[in-house]
Amino acid sequence: MPEQKHGEIDAHSGTPTTGHEWDGIKELNTPLPRWWLNTFYACIVWAIGYWLVYPAWPLLNGYTHGLANWSSRVAIGEDLNELKALRGDMNESIATASLAKIENSPELLAFARAQGSAAFALHCSTCHGAGGQGSKGYPNLNADRWIWGGTLEAIQTTITHGVRWDADPETHASAMPAFGRDSLLSKSEIANVADYVRTWSGNAPPQSADLAEGQRLFGQNCATCHGEDGKGNVELGAPNLTTQVWLYGPSKAAIIDRIQNGGGGVMPAWSGRLDPTTIKALTIYVHTLGGGK
Amino acid sequence: MTTVQLQTQDDSPDLPLYVSAPKVYPQRVHGVYRRIKWALLIVTLGIYYLLPFVRWNRGPNEPSQAVLVDLAHRKFYFFFIEIWPQEVYYLTGLLILAAMTLFLMNALAGRVWCGYLCPQTIWTDLFLATERLIEGDRRERMLKDAGPWTLARVREKTLKHFTWLMIAWWTGGAWVNYFADAPTLVHDLATFQAPVVSYVWIGILTFTTYVLAGFMREQVCLYMCPWPRIQAALTDEYALNVMYRLDRGEPRTSFKKSLALRAKGEHPGDCIDCSQCVAVCPTGVDIRQGANLGCIQCGLCIDACDSIMEKIGRPPRLIAYDTDVNVARRVAGKANIFKPIRSRTVLYGTIIALVGAVMLLALANRTNLSVSAMHDRNPMFVKTADGSIRNALTLHIVNRKPMARRFAIEAAGFDPAHVEAVGATKGADGWPVVEVGPDQIRELRMLVTVPGATHPPPKQDLAFTVVDVASGEKAMTTDNFIAP
């Protein structure tokens, strides 16, 4: 191997070599452009500054906080406070005005609906659907049939205290007995009640139906809550059975299933999680979806 | 067995990839095109600096500035025209008109835009005039720059850069006036109460004006501007361009030789190689080399050459606005022809007329009221307790008048139906009535219900007409009624 020399000039290109040689191939010394290196050094200096100023290094029980004591949690808190201040006047108006007054003022209505729409997407759409259209067991909030009442105040109460939400003492509480499971009614009796109930919403009963027996059983077992005429009772959360809107579906099988197993859905109380202004906005939003009484 | 001789590599050293441009020292010039340029400079800069201060009375709730880009309220005011964000198609029309006018100018007289109206040219001209005033003309500037730094030179340079910065700063200051009430803004700027963003923009535009007009100058035209490339592809042999009439100028000789030749009865070219055309050129090109990418068609070389022709007693316009076709025709001994009406000029003119007419028509027919509808997507329809089918929509009613107005919302296209609007009152004939504030958009939630017993088709037309209760002005929008 010939002697290697750093800075040896390559005869062909006239460029100095690095002095490295592999199998007779020498490496030319063509350094990176100065501007590139300077940018690189500047980045290193910048990074050191960054480590010092911002949280950067993980430790065993935490992390370095940096000279600026910056944290994303505090930053977002500040952003939220700014937003609150920005919306302060409107929020104040929403907080103090009555629900009816909000609906009658175009500016307050637009603001409350926008705020309610955002809160609905975040907290309510999981169960009630993105547009409040509901699904089996979750009420459609666009329709005008309300289990616990569809006035502004009723909706506000329902959102605030929830339904069958044990943690809230003021929650809507009622449960339909499991007539079949607890052997209060026989299978054929349940079928007759179901046939009778379905006639209210215009569904023709089958040939085998004993509507008179169904009516008698309904009067004995169901009328206390749902009323003799099946119109329901919002005080007890007993649904109106004479409408075209069915929470669990209008088929005979679905109705038999409800009588068989009883029970009812659960909705959380939002008073602990949302502030009263947001609940007000949600109330306005839901009420103006179309079904509000 | 033959040996293959390998070709030796080219061992010549690589040339540098970039040659730094020589500094151009344009010389002062007098003449007809210079006067046109001064006049256009005064007119265009006058418009730019003074337009924001022109007042236009629009009534109590409206800004009284003739030309205003109101970003906060998303409106654009131009004298009697008020453009809302929904109407940005006017901007599209303006851009088409601008492009076509540029194309037409190019088809008629080459890069005449570049030479006379381009902001880069105007401000560079202004900066050059300042430089000439402070540091002297071409020869003086060249001598000073080549010579040593003296106190006088430092003083001159400082004064020059200070004046440049003042012009640049004033340029940026005028720009922000288009985005706020100008007199108020000027007062706020002076008392340091203006929004930070206005100072930032003044800073940005001061910097760009100073750098582009003070230092980069012709390099902007040569390396940054895309128009020379586009222009070169759009032009043809009938377009007027600044040209050296080589049929008259060649062969070049010195003045003395040309006198001697003429005395002998011969015909030398009129060009005496005095290089005045090069000395005055703001982009530093030699027009005698023919069509040139750097030439911005400003005509200053024409003025310079004419002054020389006058001195040596030859007819003017050795350099002139001329066409390729005519140079070729004269060489061939034929007469000049000019064809301003060609297929491309007719095409550009027609497009300009059409777009202009469409825009005028749209402007003349625009109303102070418009409405649009957006159907709820989720759910598309709702079955109510009594079995009816209900659709919910959001109407956007735009009131472009500076006073609050009451509108009745009439629906048509289906029957029998029930129409109500959230937050609206009922009018005399049963339609919902709402009030929309001055210059405002109101979002209105509409509920349209059809009895389920009528079995509405899956989709049918639905039309809303918004009627001003007081004046009867109407606007209409259409949508669909969706059923299962």
Side-chain angles (χ1 to χ4, degrees):
Chain A
M1 196 180 256
E3 199 191 329
Q4 296 177 6
K5 242 185 7 222
H6 181 63
E8 183 189 350
I9 305 293
D10 173 60
H12 182 73
S13 64
T15 310
T17 69
T18 58
H20 306 152
E21 183 177 337
W22 294 273
D23 294 340
I25 300 170
K26 290 177 186 172
E27 186 187 8
L28 295 183
N29 184 15
T30 44
L32 290 160
R34 191 82 334 235
W35 68 265
W36 194 97
L37 281 170
N38 285 338
T39 312
F40 178 60
Y41 297 143
C43 288
I44 292 173
V45 173
W46 174 267
I48 292 167
Y50 200 95
W51 290 341
L52 294 174
V53 175
Y54 285 103
W57 288 98
L59 305 173
L60 278 179
N61 305 316
Y63 55 91
T64 56
H65 287 273
L67 297 172
N69 213 17
W70 183 91
S71 98
S72 53
R73 183 172 278 273
V74 171
I76 201 159
E78 281 167 8
D79 285 354
L80 283 174
N81 285 339
E82 262 178 47
L83 194 67
K84 267 187 195 149
L86 196 70
R87 294 177 179 168
D89 289 350
M90 285 303 253
N91 271 330
E92 185 69 24
S93 307
I94 298 280
T96 50
S98 74
L99 288 164
K101 197 185 157 203
I102 296 172
E103 274 203 357
N104 286 324
S105 150
E107 289 83 27
L108 289 181
L109 176 65
F111 185 79
R113 284 204 84 232
Q115 200 183 357
S117 163
F120 191 91
L122 200 59
H123 303 291
C124 317
S125 61
T126 327
C127 294
H128 289 286
Q133 76 274 30
S135 63
K136 188 176 176 184
Y138 301 99
N140 180 350
L141 304 175
N142 290 273
D144 53 352
R145 172 186 176 273
W146 298 91
I147 298 168
W148 300 96
T151 61
L152 280 165
E153 283 70 25
I155 294 171
Q156 189 182 27
T157 308
T158 305
I159 299 173
T160 310
H161 301 296
V163 177
R164 302 182 190 95
W165 188 252
D166 296 338
D168 190 318
E170 289 176 63
T171 193
H172 289 314
S174 75
M176 174 156 152
F179 287 96
R181 218 173 48 209
D182 293 347
S183 306
L184 299 172
L185 292 172
S186 71
K187 271 210 160 103
S188 66
E189 285 173 326
I190 291 175
N192 280 332
V193 174
D195 282 333
Y196 172 66
V197 165
R198 290 182 81 241
T199 58
W200 278 322
S201 47
N203 294 294
Q207 296 269 309
S208 60
D210 187 344
L211 291 180
E213 174 68 357
Q215 184 174 15
R216 192 185 63 79
L217 288 167
F218 187 88
Q220 275 180 6
N221 297 287
C222 319
T224 337
C225 296
H226 290 286
E228 204 68 53
D229 54 2
K231 290 270 168 68
N233 185 344
V234 291
E235 298 293 319
L236 303 169
N240 184 342
L241 304 175
T242 66
T243 71
Q244 299 287 331
V245 184
W246 291 88
L247 184 55
Y248 292 89
S251 70
K252 186 174 169 182
I255 292 166
I256 286 175
D257 183 56
R258 296 313 302 157
I259 304 173
Q260 172 81 17
N261 295 312
V266 174
M267 168 169 151
W270 293 95
S271 55
R273 300 180 60 184
L274 300 176
D275 60 86
T277 317
T278 308
I279 290 180
K280 261 181 149 174
L282 267 174
T283 305
I284 299 286
Y285 176 75
V286 169
H287 190 250
T288 55
L289 276 175
K293 296 279 183 190
Chain B
M1 195 175 155
T2 55
T3 48
V4 179
Q5 180 88 45
L6 280 172
Q7 193 94 44
T8 46
Q9 297 285 313
D10 176 14
D11 272 344
S12 61
D14 287 339
L15 288 167
L17 294 172
Y18 177 76
V19 183
S20 39
K23 191 166 159 50
V24 180
Y25 293 89
Q27 186 174 302
R28 185 198 305 266
V29 61
H30 301 280
V32 56
Y33 294 107
R34 181 65 262 182
R35 281 198 293 279
I36 295 174
K37 271 172 74 70
W38 282 132
L40 286 172
L41 182 141
I42 291 163
V43 169
T44 49
L45 287 185
I47 291 173
Y48 175 70
Y49 288 121
L50 298 177
L51 193 56
F53 296 93
V54 177
R55 303 287 97 187
W56 192 266
N57 186 18
R58 293 192 182 84
N61 296 317
E62 301 279 282
S64 55
Q65 185 155 322
V67 179
L68 178 68
V69 183
D70 190 348
L71 290 176
H73 301 102
R74 298 182 197 156
K75 307 252 176 69
F76 171 64
Y77 300 94
F78 187 84
F79 294 95
F80 63 96
I81 304 171
E82 179 185 326
I83 290 176
W84 286 48
Q86 296 90 333
E87 302 172 304
V88 279
Y89 47 79
Y90 284 114
L91 188 67
T92 314
L94 274 179
L95 289 175
I96 296 173
L97 279 184
M100 286 302 144
T101 311
L102 198 58
F103 290 180
L104 181 63
M105 282 165 91
N106 171 55
L108 292 173
R111 283 169 71 179
V112 70
W113 161 266
C114 302
Y116 294 89
L117 292 166
C118 174
Q120 173 65 20
T121 294
I122 302 256
W123 265 286
T124 303
D125 236 17
L126 192 62
F127 273 49
L128 277 172
T130 316
E131 190 172 61
R132 215 174 278 134
L133 204 69
I134 296 167
E135 289 191 85
D137 208 356
R138 172 182 162 89
R139 197 171 298 273
E140 282 175 79
R141 293 206 303 276
M142 288 170 90
L143 279 173
K144 282 176 187 168
D145 278 2
W149 281 96
T150 61
L151 201 62
R153 198 177 148 208
V154 171
R155 207 162 43 226
E156 272 179 10
K157 290 264 182 208
T158 312
L159 180 62
K160 177 181 85 175
H161 286 284
F162 176 75
T163 317
W164 277 0
L165 277 168
M166 292 313 283
I167 298 172
W169 169 71
W170 197 242
T171 305
W175 176 259
V176 297
N177 281 338
Y178 284 89
F179 297 85
D181 185 60
T184 318
L185 183 64
V186 169
H187 175 265
D188 287 354
L189 282 170
T191 52
F192 296 102
Q193 290 171 335
V196 178
V197 65
S198 54
Y199 294 103
V200 170
W201 272 105
I202 292 176
I204 291 171
L205 285 154
T206 305
F207 175 75
T208 50
T209 311
Y210 178 63
V211 170
L212 293 188
F215 300 92
M216 300 190 66
R217 296 183 178 173
E218 79 282 355
Q219 314 231 4
V220 174
C221 313
L222 292 172
Y223 302 120
M224 287 167 72
C225 179
W227 177 230
R229 280 85 189 161
I230 302 167
Q231 186 270 344
L234 283 174
T235 194
D236 67 1
E237 68 273 31
Y238 290 104
L240 282 173
N241 278 311
V242 172
M243 271 188 191
Y244 166 65
R245 289 174 160 162
L246 54 93
D247 55 306
R248 203 187 113 187
E250 299 296 317
R252 306 172 200 173
T253 44
S254 72
F255 180 48
K256 276 184 185 162
K257 275 189 192 154
S258 76
L259 282 183
L261 284 169
R262 258 181 244 286
K264 282 194 274 177
E266 286 178 38
H267 293 283
D270 277 349
C271 178
I272 56 165
D273 223 355
C274 66
S275 291
Q276 278 304 292
C277 53
V278 182
V280 300
C281 181
T283 61
V285 305
D286 185 347
I287 194 66
R288 297 169 300 172
Q289 289 169 352
N292 200 309
L293 186 72
C295 175
I296 57 166
Q297 312 274 343
C298 64
L300 292 184
C301 52
I302 305 180
D303 284 343
C305 190
D306 279 359
S307 69
I308 299 299
M309 288 298 117
E310 196 186 355
K311 275 184 198 149
I312 65 167
R314 300 295 303 162
R317 296 290 189 270
L318 173 59
I319 301 173
Y321 280 100
D322 202 351
T323 64
D324 282 334
V325 138
N326 281 341
V327 174
R329 284 177 69 92
R330 286 195 304 272
V331 170
K334 296 184 204 158
N336 286 343
I337 51 163
F338 289 100
K339 269 177 73 177
I341 298 174
R342 311 192 295 281
S343 52
R344 67 179 67 203
T345 56
V346 170
L347 177 70
Y348 298 147
T350 313
I351 295 175
I352 290 171
L354 273 178
V355 175
V358 168
M359 281 181 69
L360 276 179
L361 209 67
L363 269 178
N365 288 330
R366 72 203 283 262
T367 54
N368 289 314
L369 171 67
S370 65
V371 60
S372 60
M374 199 167 77
H375 201 287
D376 267 18
R377 284 164 298 175
N378 192 9
M380 299 283 266
F381 57 84
V382 178
K383 200 174 191 183
T384 65
D386 63 1
S388 300
I389 308 299
R390 190 175 62 217
N391 279 208
L393 311 96
T394 305
L395 287 189
H396 286 91
I397 304 173
V398 185
N399 174 20
R400 289 198 193 85
K401 280 207 166 169
M403 75 270 263
R405 293 200 279 173
R406 288 171 64 72
F407 299 103
I409 295 131
E410 300 174 1
F414 55 93
D415 203 53
H418 176 69
V419 179
E420 57 184 325
V422 173
T425 51
K426 275 245 186 283
D429 34 11
W431 297 113
V433 173
V434 285
E435 188 178 282
V436 185
D439 272 318
Q440 272 179 11
I441 302 176
R442 178 153 177 189
E443 254 187 43
L444 191 64
R445 191 166 169 81
M446 302 291 300
L447 302 167
V448 182
T449 316
V450 172
T454 59
H455 297 292
K459 194 170 154 184
Q460 60 182 321
D461 290 342
L462 183 58
F464 292 100
T465 309
V466 175
V467 187
D468 184 340
V469 175
S471 72
E473 188 180 347
K474 282 181 189 180
M476 202 187 81
T477 185
T478 55
D479 208 302
N480 291 304
F481 188 89
I482 314 279

